Amino acid sequence: MELGSIEREIRIEASPEVVFDVVSSPEHLKEWWPDEAELSPDGNGRIGFGKSAEGITWEQFTVVDAMPPRHFSFRWTHPEGERAVLGNSYLVVFELEPAGTGTLLKMTETGFRERGWAEAKVAAEYADHVNGWDYFIPRLAPYAEKVGAGR
């Protein structure tokens, strides 16, 4: 198994401007992906999963590039206090293309093999992220469409 990247593509009936906001703004992110999201003006922040009795598990989040309304990328899961780089984080890229009255969103996540983990750990992390994106990406379209309809 290659385990190098996860790729997903969906069509959303909302403009690229709306979809860009939905994939890049903390107030929108937490409506379809993490339970909590915090992002400072410098592009550093954290996202949290699992509102439960044990509390939230926080993951570091750093914006790599933002070119509204076509491209948004970030690194995540790097250790707190460390700069997000290849080898200590995953890279997620959202590419947005106008498609008729909507947007074609292409998402790619990489960085599994670069973490230096044993094959079993790489496979487990990759499978966990595949399952995660398979759950979260389908939530993105209806939410973005709702946001777009409200504008």
Side-chain angles (χ1 to χ4, degrees):
M1 221 193 241
E2 192 238 309
L3 309 175
S5 68
I6 298 170
E7 298 174 5
R8 297 291 181 268
E9 187 174 297
I10 58 169
R11 189 172 189 299
I12 302 169
E13 281 300 322
S15 71
E17 291 79 9
V18 167
V19 177
F20 183 88
D21 286 347
V22 166
V23 300
S24 65
S25 303
E27 63 271 14
H28 291 304
L29 281 174
K30 62 187 181 179
E31 295 298 322
W32 65 271
W33 186 34
D35 295 310
E36 294 292 337
E38 302 170 353
L39 187 60
S40 64
D42 69 359
N44 290 302
R46 63 187 188 159
I47 56 176
F49 295 92
K51 287 184 178 178
S52 67
E54 295 84 44
I56 292 178
T57 300
W58 291 98
E59 298 290 352
Q60 299 306 301
F61 182 99
T62 300
V63 174
V64 173
D65 206 6
M67 294 180 289
R70 302 297 296 266
H71 175 92
F72 182 72
S73 62
F74 62 89
R75 288 197 166 275
W76 71 304
T77 73
H78 51 288
E80 188 171 0
E82 288 187 22
R83 190 171 157 261
V85 296
L86 180 67
N88 76 349
S89 58
Y90 302 111
L91 175 66
V92 175
V93 177
F94 289 107
E95 294 289 343
L96 309 166
E97 297 175 15
T101 58
T103 303
L104 180 64
L105 177 140
K106 297 176 183 178
M107 184 283 302
T108 306
E109 183 177 35
T110 58
F112 296 92
R113 292 218 169 268
E114 294 80 2
R115 303 292 291 253
W117 293 325
E119 187 68 17
K121 173 77 170 167
V122 171
E125 289 291 319
Y126 184 86
D128 184 51
H129 285 238
V130 164
N131 289 335
W133 289 119
D134 285 348
Y135 175 77
F136 291 113
I137 290 292
R139 294 167 44 121
L140 196 163
Y143 177 72
E145 290 165 3
K146 182 175 133 188
V147 170
R151 287 193 175 179

